[in-house]
Amino acid sequence: MSFNSYVSDSDRTPKTPDKMKLQRFMLSLPSFDNQRLIFHSARQTLRKAEMARVAVREWLNQHDCELEEWKIKKASELGISISRLEQKLLDAAQHQVITNKGDNNPNSEEDSV
Protein backbone atom coordinates (compact mmCIF):
# COMPACT_ATOMS: atom_id res chain seq x y z
CA MET A 1 0.00 0.00 0.00
CA SER A 2 1.14 3.51 -0.63
CA PHE A 3 1.97 6.03 2.02
CA ASN A 4 -1.13 8.09 1.16
CA SER A 5 -3.43 5.26 2.14
CA TYR A 6 -2.10 5.40 5.70
CA VAL A 7 -2.67 9.14 6.01
CA SER A 8 -6.20 10.17 6.77
CA ASP A 9 -7.80 13.30 5.38
CA SER A 10 -7.61 14.90 8.80
CA ASP A 11 -3.81 14.51 8.79
CA ARG A 12 -3.40 16.31 5.45
CA THR A 13 -2.89 20.04 5.41
CA PRO A 14 -6.12 21.80 4.49
CA LYS A 15 -6.15 23.72 1.22
CA THR A 16 -6.22 27.42 1.75
CA PRO A 17 -8.37 29.66 -0.47
CA ASP A 18 -5.17 31.01 -2.03
CA LYS A 19 -4.02 27.52 -3.01
CA MET A 20 -7.44 26.77 -4.48
CA LYS A 21 -7.36 30.00 -6.49
CA LEU A 22 -3.88 29.16 -7.73
CA GLN A 23 -5.02 25.70 -8.83
CA ARG A 24 -8.00 27.17 -10.70
CA PHE A 25 -5.70 29.75 -12.28
CA MET A 26 -3.24 27.06 -13.37
CA LEU A 27 -6.09 25.04 -14.89
CA SER A 28 -7.32 28.07 -16.83
CA LEU A 29 -3.91 28.89 -18.33
CA PRO A 30 -4.16 26.39 -21.22
CA SER A 31 -7.57 27.79 -22.13
CA PHE A 32 -6.21 31.33 -22.00
CA ASP A 33 -3.20 30.33 -24.12
CA ASN A 34 -5.47 28.77 -26.73
CA GLN A 35 -7.64 31.89 -26.85
CA ARG A 36 -4.55 34.09 -27.12
CA LEU A 37 -3.10 31.96 -29.92
CA ILE A 38 -6.41 32.01 -31.81
CA PHE A 39 -6.59 35.80 -31.43
CA HIS A 40 -3.02 36.31 -32.67
CA SER A 41 -3.56 33.89 -35.53
CA ALA A 42 -6.68 35.75 -36.64
CA ARG A 43 -4.89 39.08 -36.34
CA GLN A 44 -1.94 37.75 -38.35
CA THR A 45 -4.32 36.41 -41.00
CA LEU A 46 -6.03 39.80 -41.29
CA ARG A 47 -2.66 41.50 -41.57
CA LYS A 48 -1.57 39.13 -44.34
CA ALA A 49 -4.88 39.56 -46.15
CA GLU A 50 -4.51 43.35 -46.03
CA MET A 51 -0.94 43.12 -47.34
CA ALA A 52 -2.15 40.90 -50.20
CA ARG A 53 -4.98 43.32 -50.99
CA VAL A 54 -2.55 46.24 -51.16
CA ALA A 55 -0.15 44.25 -53.36
CA VAL A 56 -2.91 43.19 -55.76
CA ARG A 57 -4.29 46.73 -55.97
CA GLU A 58 -0.80 48.07 -56.71
CA TRP A 59 -0.24 45.41 -59.39
CA LEU A 60 -3.63 46.14 -60.99
CA ASN A 61 -2.85 49.87 -61.05
CA GLN A 62 0.52 49.22 -62.71
CA HIS A 63 -0.95 46.86 -65.34
CA ASP A 64 -4.25 48.63 -65.96
CA CYS A 65 -3.44 49.44 -69.61
CA GLU A 66 -2.45 45.84 -70.34
CA LEU A 67 -5.65 44.55 -68.74
CA GLU A 68 -7.78 46.97 -70.75
CA GLU A 69 -6.04 45.89 -73.97
CA TRP A 70 -6.61 42.24 -73.09
CA LYS A 71 -10.32 42.87 -72.39
CA ILE A 72 -10.76 44.72 -75.69
CA LYS A 73 -8.99 41.97 -77.63
CA LYS A 74 -10.89 39.15 -75.90
CA ALA A 75 -14.27 40.87 -76.32
CA SER A 76 -13.63 41.39 -80.03
CA GLU A 77 -12.57 37.72 -80.41
CA LEU A 78 -15.79 36.60 -78.76
CA GLY A 79 -17.88 39.18 -80.61
CA ILE A 80 -19.37 40.68 -77.44
CA SER A 81 -19.15 44.03 -75.69
CA ILE A 82 -16.53 44.75 -73.03
CA SER A 83 -19.22 45.14 -70.36
CA ARG A 84 -20.67 41.73 -71.33
CA LEU A 85 -17.17 40.18 -71.07
CA GLU A 86 -16.67 41.78 -67.66
CA GLN A 87 -20.05 40.39 -66.53
CA LYS A 88 -19.08 36.90 -67.73
CA LEU A 89 -15.78 37.14 -65.87
CA LEU A 90 -17.57 38.18 -62.67
CA ASP A 91 -20.10 35.34 -63.05
CA ALA A 92 -17.29 32.82 -63.55
CA ALA A 93 -15.44 34.15 -60.48
CA GLN A 94 -18.60 33.92 -58.34
CA HIS A 95 -19.22 30.38 -59.56
CA GLN A 96 -15.63 29.48 -58.66
CA VAL A 97 -16.06 30.90 -55.14
CA ILE A 98 -19.26 28.90 -54.63
CA THR A 99 -17.57 25.74 -55.93
CA ASN A 100 -14.59 26.27 -53.61
CA LYS A 101 -16.87 26.81 -50.60
CA GLY A 102 -18.70 23.58 -51.43
CA ASP A 103 -15.41 21.68 -51.65
CA ASN A 104 -14.26 23.04 -48.28
CA ASN A 105 -17.53 22.25 -46.50
CA PRO A 106 -17.17 18.94 -44.61
CA ASN A 107 -20.97 18.59 -44.46
CA SER A 108 -21.35 18.95 -48.23
CA GLU A 109 -21.18 15.17 -48.72
CA GLU A 110 -23.89 14.62 -46.13
CA ASP A 111 -26.07 17.34 -47.66
CA SER A 112 -25.83 15.83 -51.13
CA VAL A 113 -26.90 12.34 -49.99
Side-chain angles (χ1 to χ4, degrees):
M1 296 183 98
S2 69
F3 176 74
N4 288 338
S5 59
Y6 293 112
V7 179
S8 70
D9 287 340
S10 61
D11 294 336
R12 292 185 182 149
T13 57
K15 291 186 179 180
T16 63
D18 288 337
K19 282 186 180 181
M20 292 171 66
K21 285 181 186 176
L22 181 62
Q23 281 182 331
R24 275 191 243 125
F25 174 74
M26 295 302 286
L27 290 174
S28 68
L29 277 179
S31 175
F32 173 76
D33 281 345
N34 287 340
Q35 290 173 355
R36 186 174 57 87
L37 289 173
I38 290 169
F39 169 75
H40 285 298
S41 173
R43 197 170 89 192
Q44 192 71 3
T45 301
L46 287 174
R47 189 178 306 142
K48 287 179 182 178
E50 179 62 19
M51 287 172 29
R53 187 189 68 77
V54 169
V56 167
R57 174 177 258 166
E58 186 177 317
W59 186 91
L60 287 171
N61 286 338
Q62 289 175 355
H63 296 85
D64 192 39
C65 293
E66 295 169 40
L67 291 170
E68 287 300 319
E69 288 175 14
W70 178 85
K71 284 193 290 187
I72 292 168
K73 181 181 173 186
K74 197 61 157 170
S76 67
E77 286 175 5
L78 295 172
I80 58 175
S81 67
I82 294 173
S83 60
R84 180 73 179 134
L85 174 68
E86 289 172 341
Q87 186 60 45
K88 283 187 169 207
L89 290 171
L90 285 173
D91 291 343
Q94 287 174 343
H95 178 71
Q96 186 68 39
V97 167
I98 291 168
T99 303
N100 287 345
K101 282 184 181 178
D103 291 344
N104 293 335
N105 186 358
N107 297 326
S108 63
E109 292 176 28
E110 295 171 7
D111 294 342
S112 63
V113 174

